[in-house]
Amino acid sequence: MADISREDLDEIYAFAVELGKQAGKMLMDAAQLRINGGDETQKEKEHVQKENAVDLVTETDENVEAFIKTQIANKYPLHKFIGEESYSKGSSRDYLIDSAPTWCVDPLDGTVNYIHLFPMFCVSIAFIHKNKPLIGIIYAPFTNQFFSSCTGRGAFFNQTQRLPLVRNPVPPMSVNAPSGCIFSCEWGKDRRDTPDGNMHRKIESFVNMATELGGREGRGGMVHGVRSLGSATLDLAYVAMGAFDIWWEGGCWEWDVAAGIAILQEAGGLVTTANPPDNYATDPIEEVRLGSRLYLAIRPAGPSSTETGRESQERTVREVWRRVRNLDYSRPGA
Amino acid sequence: MADISREDLDEIYAFAVELGKQAGKMLMDAAQLRINGGDETQKEKEHVQKENAVDLVTETDENVEAFIKTQIANKYPLHKFIGEESYSKGSSRDYLIDSAPTWCVDPLDGTVNYIHLFPMFCVSIAFIHKNKPLIGIIYAPFTNQFFSSCTGRGAFFNQTQRLPLVRNPVPPMSVNAPSGCIFSCEWGKDRRDTPDGNMHRKIESFVNMATELGGREGRGGMVHGVRSLGSATLDLAYVAMGAFDIWWEGGCWEWDVAAGIAILQEAGGLVTTANPPDNYATDPIEEVRLGSRLYLAIRPAGPSSTETGRESQERTVREVWRRVRNLDYSRPGA
């Protein structure tokens, strides 16, 4: 398949930016309707009250995805579309992204936050070609935070500030990483109390990262802070921003991470697998596979007097791998 | 000591609102200086580069506190002032709030976030009289989120939207709380790997709240989500908003929570102690003591067909107490 020309890619980027803004506004308008409740017209009021928040959110989720899908189909009828809502209703969870030009969309990431009107929700739109996320759009309308990138054009916050935010110079990773780092992680939906199940493996990993140096039989990482926002997409956006140093997670699907990976990679971040290889200290650090469901992201880093930025990122990857457990997430049928 | 008149209190409130806006702007201006780095004048650039982020943040913290303190001293010379920065340099951590009109200020809450430029930082200003927080101002300038309240005047988001956000009607607490709730908690700074120390007690409590119903020998709470923002002040603000249902924390000082408690109480929330009493199911639910360092906050709740809002809040308190450990925080000398 032929490459997409620079001109065409820039046009797709401009289209994606506008699409993200409109979709984010739809999310916020629907949230505002729930907030205003009785201040709206009687018809809207009845609509809001007759269903619970979860049903309303599902409806919004589907409406926004349908809007995005239609806009894309009108503008680029030959492009593939993979959306969370339509995908999860299908019977297959096979990995559907191939080398064709493909849009990968989560109309609403941070669904639990949206249900509770906690501002950390967003729309996430990625454009992928030859299995590479080339364009990423993330818009969190409640706090008016807009993240965007196009390969070769840089990554941006609110379209004007380049990512990472601090870039004169971009700081290297902490010398004693993960100490000094903000570690972002999520508890997720799988809360089964299964001995050695994913939840307990995650918690053991979180505790290792958090505990004082020397603690946990030498695995203590004494990170500067542990953060959980409830949105994988925004976690990645904040890694691209440089605000989070490390994000480690298992279980996400492509639409949760595609736009965030595009933005983070364009900003200079590193994304690989969550699961430590057999020899965490020396095995190669492979580039992330979009459908792997296992992700470890490190923020953009500049050089120090002793390391390149990439070297300090890779050192951090190995220090994380030393402290985390393997997670058991696979694709159905895989 | 005489009560403060309605007129005087309203004047103090208006003054506090403006003070919060100015202080928040100072925080954001200093952050922007670190972001812009080399785009600024040569003199500023050298200043930014010669010190590390932590030193710069400490300087900003002290500058903002000095600004707030001076403004208050000029306007209300007879009022007491307790600020985090000046307090922590003093030798005493005795509880200093008495019945006098007192300002309790954290110029920068979420210091770790601010160091890393993660947007969840804020200024926090409370006005207290007769040991009651009467006015609360919380301003997170990066995301332009402004929370304010004055006793008898309501609590507000961005000065126009009343808190909690959803209020037609205000939803009752979940029937199976903590299931269905967003649970907000913080890992904090104390990461000692001490068996049965505070960190391990906290983690055990978090895991109980998160695990599936029936798990953890019946203690599993299956909360809808676990969130950690790294700012006690913003945690409380989001409880007042109704976005977080439950916040449970030990170790905070008065300036971390005074403004948040003022806003949450004015919005209709409940604040009591983090530590379960001997009989969690029947012992009285006492009102929070500002200096206790142990806090459990429940969002504003409206009535259902079977309970008053207060009843559903109290039910939730007892369900949390059933799942959490006692934490060991006291005041030096206490």
Side-chain angles (χ1 to χ4, degrees):
Chain A
M1 187 162 298
D3 277 340
I4 295 172
S5 72
R6 182 74 256 173
E7 194 180 351
D8 286 348
L9 199 59
D10 286 344
E11 187 193 88
I12 294 169
Y13 185 31
F15 168 77
V17 165
E18 289 311 309
L19 192 57
K21 286 182 185 173
Q22 291 171 52
K25 184 172 182 305
M26 287 177 73
L27 289 180
M28 199 57 211
D29 286 348
Q32 202 63 52
L33 192 62
R34 284 167 57 214
I35 292 172
N36 291 341
D39 299 340
E40 296 299 306
T41 66
Q42 192 58 29
K43 182 155 174 287
E44 283 167 335
K45 183 176 173 178
E46 280 166 9
H47 176 76
V48 170
Q49 291 185 339
K50 84 170 184 230
E51 301 185 80
N52 68 31
V54 175
D55 292 336
L56 283 169
V57 166
T58 303
E59 189 181 314
T60 302
D61 210 343
E62 291 172 356
N63 288 346
V64 174
E65 178 163 320
F67 166 77
I68 296 172
K69 190 172 182 176
T70 303
Q71 295 295 108
I72 291 170
N74 288 343
K75 177 86 175 174
Y76 299 108
L78 300 180
H79 289 183
K80 280 179 61 175
F81 180 89
I82 297 173
E84 193 225 352
E85 285 305 302
S86 43
Y87 201 52
S88 60
K89 286 179 179 167
S91 56
S92 167
R93 291 234 176 206
D94 288 346
Y95 186 59
L96 292 180
I97 292 174
D98 55 25
S99 62
T102 301
W103 294 81
C104 186
V105 170
D106 191 350
L108 170 58
D109 190 80
T111 309
V112 171
N113 292 338
Y114 191 67
I115 290 168
H116 294 258
L117 293 170
F118 175 55
M120 289 285 163
F121 58 84
C122 62
V123 57
S124 169
I125 299 172
F127 176 71
I128 300 168
H129 187 226
K130 296 184 175 176
N131 289 292
K132 291 269 182 200
L134 301 181
I135 289 170
I137 307 291
I138 296 172
Y139 181 30
F142 199 131
T143 56
N144 210 25
Q145 295 186 91
F146 190 90
F147 303 85
S148 58
S149 75
C150 180
T151 184
R153 295 295 190 212
F156 289 87
F157 177 64
N158 288 347
Q159 299 191 265
T160 53
Q161 285 194 295
R162 279 200 68 173
L163 298 175
L165 286 184
V166 176
R167 48 189 307 106
N168 293 301
V170 178
M173 298 303 293
S174 160
V175 175
N176 305 311
S179 174
C181 294
I182 292 197
F183 173 58
S184 165
C185 57
E186 302 293 348
W187 292 70
K189 290 173 194 162
D190 180 357
R191 312 281 184 67
R192 283 174 292 183
D193 194 16
T194 312
D196 209 39
N198 275 327
M199 185 184 77
H200 288 294
R201 290 180 187 206
K202 270 189 165 184
I203 291 161
E204 184 182 333
S205 304
F206 299 171
V207 175
N208 285 343
M209 292 291 282
T211 303
E212 64 182 336
L213 295 172
R216 307 282 291 178
E217 297 174 342
R219 289 183 150 199
M222 193 60 197
V223 296
H224 206 187
V226 179
R227 301 289 177 267
S228 299
L229 303 183
S231 163
T233 304
L234 286 171
D235 287 335
L236 278 164
Y238 288 122
V239 178
M241 189 187 249
F244 290 167
D245 300 275
I246 300 163
W247 177 66
W248 178 80
E249 175 65 314
C252 300
W253 298 97
E254 293 85 298
W255 46 86
D256 297 317
V257 298
I261 288 175
I263 294 169
L264 177 56
Q265 288 182 330
E266 182 65 16
L270 184 161
V271 195
T272 184
T273 178
N275 278 1
D278 290 341
N279 194 330
Y280 65 79
T282 55
D283 280 355
I285 293 173
E286 292 182 6
E287 198 169 346
V288 64
R289 288 179 301 117
L290 195 50
S292 68
R293 305 193 65 200
L294 296 161
Y295 308 98
L296 170 59
I298 310 291
R299 71 158 166 85
S304 69
S305 57
T306 56
E307 284 176 311
T308 65
R310 176 79 190 189
E311 283 168 347
S312 77
Q313 290 172 323
E314 293 196 352
R315 170 171 54 76
T316 306
V317 166
R318 297 188 191 285
E319 291 293 333
V320 175
W321 277 346
R322 189 160 86 74
R323 291 170 170 86
V324 296
R325 296 284 308 275
N326 276 273
L327 299 176
D328 183 21
Y329 290 102
S330 57
R331 306 191 74 83
Chain B
M1 185 165 296
D3 277 339
I4 296 173
S5 72
R6 184 74 256 172
E7 194 180 352
D8 286 348
L9 198 60
D10 286 344
E11 187 193 86
I12 295 169
Y13 184 32
F15 168 78
V17 165
E18 290 310 310
L19 192 57
K21 287 182 184 173
Q22 292 172 52
K25 184 173 183 306
M26 288 178 72
L27 289 180
M28 200 56 211
D29 286 348
Q32 203 62 51
L33 193 61
R34 284 168 56 213
I35 292 171
N36 291 340
D39 299 339
E40 295 300 306
T41 67
Q42 192 57 29
K43 183 155 173 289
E44 283 166 337
K45 182 177 173 179
E46 281 166 9
H47 175 75
V48 169
Q49 291 185 339
K50 84 169 186 236
E51 301 185 80
N52 68 32
V54 175
D55 292 337
L56 282 169
V57 166
T58 304
E59 190 181 313
T60 303
D61 210 343
E62 291 173 358
N63 287 347
V64 174
E65 177 162 321
F67 166 77
I68 295 171
K69 189 173 181 176
T70 303
Q71 296 293 108
I72 291 171
N74 288 343
K75 177 86 176 176
Y76 298 108
L78 300 181
H79 289 183
K80 281 179 61 176
F81 179 90
I82 297 174
E84 191 223 355
E85 286 303 303
S86 44
Y87 200 51
S88 59
K89 286 179 180 165
S91 56
S92 167
R93 291 234 175 205
D94 288 347
Y95 186 59
L96 291 179
I97 293 173
D98 55 25
S99 62
T102 301
W103 295 79
C104 186
V105 170
D106 190 351
L108 171 58
D109 190 80
T111 309
V112 170
N113 292 338
Y114 191 67
I115 290 169
H116 294 258
L117 293 169
F118 175 55
M120 288 286 162
F121 58 83
C122 62
V123 57
S124 169
I125 299 173
F127 177 71
I128 299 167
H129 188 226
K130 297 185 177 176
N131 289 294
K132 291 268 182 202
L134 301 181
I135 290 170
I137 307 291
I138 296 172
Y139 182 31
F142 199 131
T143 54
N144 209 25
Q145 295 187 90
F146 190 90
F147 303 85
S148 58
S149 75
C150 180
T151 185
R153 294 296 190 211
F156 289 87
F157 177 64
N158 288 347
Q159 297 191 266
T160 52
Q161 285 194 293
R162 279 200 68 173
L163 299 176
L165 286 184
V166 176
R167 48 189 307 106
N168 291 303
V170 178
M173 298 303 295
S174 160
V175 174
N176 305 311
S179 175
C181 295
I182 291 197
F183 173 58
S184 166
C185 58
E186 303 292 346
W187 292 70
K189 292 173 191 159
D190 181 357
R191 312 281 184 68
R192 284 173 292 184
D193 194 15
T194 312
D196 210 38
N198 275 327
M199 186 183 75
H200 288 293
R201 291 181 187 204
K202 270 189 167 185
I203 291 161
E204 185 183 333
S205 304
F206 299 172
V207 175
N208 285 344
M209 293 290 283
T211 302
E212 63 183 337
L213 295 173
R216 306 282 292 177
E217 296 173 343
R219 289 182 149 199
M222 194 59 197
V223 295
H224 206 186
V226 180
R227 301 289 177 265
S228 299
L229 303 182
S231 164
T233 303
L234 286 171
D235 287 333
L236 279 164
Y238 288 123
V239 178
M241 190 186 249
F244 290 167
D245 300 276
I246 300 164
W247 177 66
W248 178 79
E249 175 64 314
C252 299
W253 298 97
E254 294 85 296
W255 46 85
D256 297 317
V257 297
I261 288 174
I263 294 168
L264 177 56
Q265 289 182 330
E266 182 65 16
L270 184 161
V271 195
T272 184
T273 179
N275 279 0
D278 290 340
N279 194 331
Y280 66 77
T282 55
D283 280 355
I285 293 173
E286 292 182 3
E287 198 169 349
V288 63
R289 289 179 301 116
L290 196 50
S292 68
R293 306 192 66 199
L294 296 161
Y295 309 98
L296 170 58
I298 309 292
R299 71 157 166 85
S304 69
S305 58
T306 57
E307 284 176 312
T308 66
R310 176 77 190 189
E311 283 167 346
S312 77
Q313 290 172 322
E314 294 196 352
R315 170 170 54 76
T316 307
V317 166
R318 297 189 191 284
E319 291 294 332
V320 175
W321 278 344
R322 189 160 84 76
R323 291 168 170 86
V324 297
R325 297 283 308 274
N326 275 275
L327 299 176
D328 183 20
Y329 291 102
S330 57
R331 306 191 73 83

